[in-house]
Amino acid sequence: MGIDAEPHAVTEVGVLDVAASVSEIEMLDTLTASMSDVAWDRVLFSAKEAIFKAWFPLTRQWLGYTDCELRIHAGTGTFTGQLPSTPECEGLYDGSVVHGRWTIHGGHVLTAVCIDT
């Protein structure tokens, strides 16, 4: 399981250059156009942090921010992350897609994910 909490504020300049793929940035632009009161870049960052916190203890392998492709589902408060499928990780978890939840509460973005083994 991985849990993360971040301030509900736009990330610092340059964070998305490191943390997001081109398709993720396009997704964030679409989400912002439909719901501008949410710091979607922070939701993405927090969701990836939660995934990485669940991934490392299971695999003992580091993930780069762009090693996991994230999709945020605004209407359901959920997200999915596409994890890499490598020979070293074979048999450590069920499937390469993880499902998580996100919410905004008390000025924070809260995310959680559980990787099934």
Side-chain angles (χ1 to χ4, degrees), residues 35-108:
M35 292 177 69
S36 61
D37 60 331
V38 176
W40 292 109
D41 57 341
R42 189 68 73 162
V43 174
L44 177 121
F45 182 82
S46 182
K48 285 192 174 194
E49 285 289 311
I51 290 170
F52 300 158
K53 289 174 181 178
W55 167 269
F56 184 78
L58 181 63
T59 65
R60 295 290 180 211
Q61 293 183 12
W62 292 104
L63 281 176
Y65 281 107
T66 57
D67 290 338
C68 176
E69 186 72 20
L70 197 76
R71 302 301 330 146
I72 299 169
H73 313 288
T76 60
T78 63
F79 61 88
T80 55
Q82 178 73 43
L83 292 171
S85 181
T86 64
E88 300 83 19
C89 296
E90 191 171 318
L92 293 177
Y93 59 93
D94 296 336
S96 59
V97 177
V98 296
H99 301 271
R101 303 226 14 118
W102 66 270
T103 191
I104 298 169
H105 183 74
H108 291 87

Side-chain angles (χ1 to χ4, degrees), residues 4-25:
D4 191 63
E6 300 282 335
H8 183 227
V10 175
T11 58
E12 293 78 20
V13 173
V15 169
L16 284 183
D17 295 336
V18 176
S21 68
V22 171
S23 64
E24 289 170 334
I25 291 171

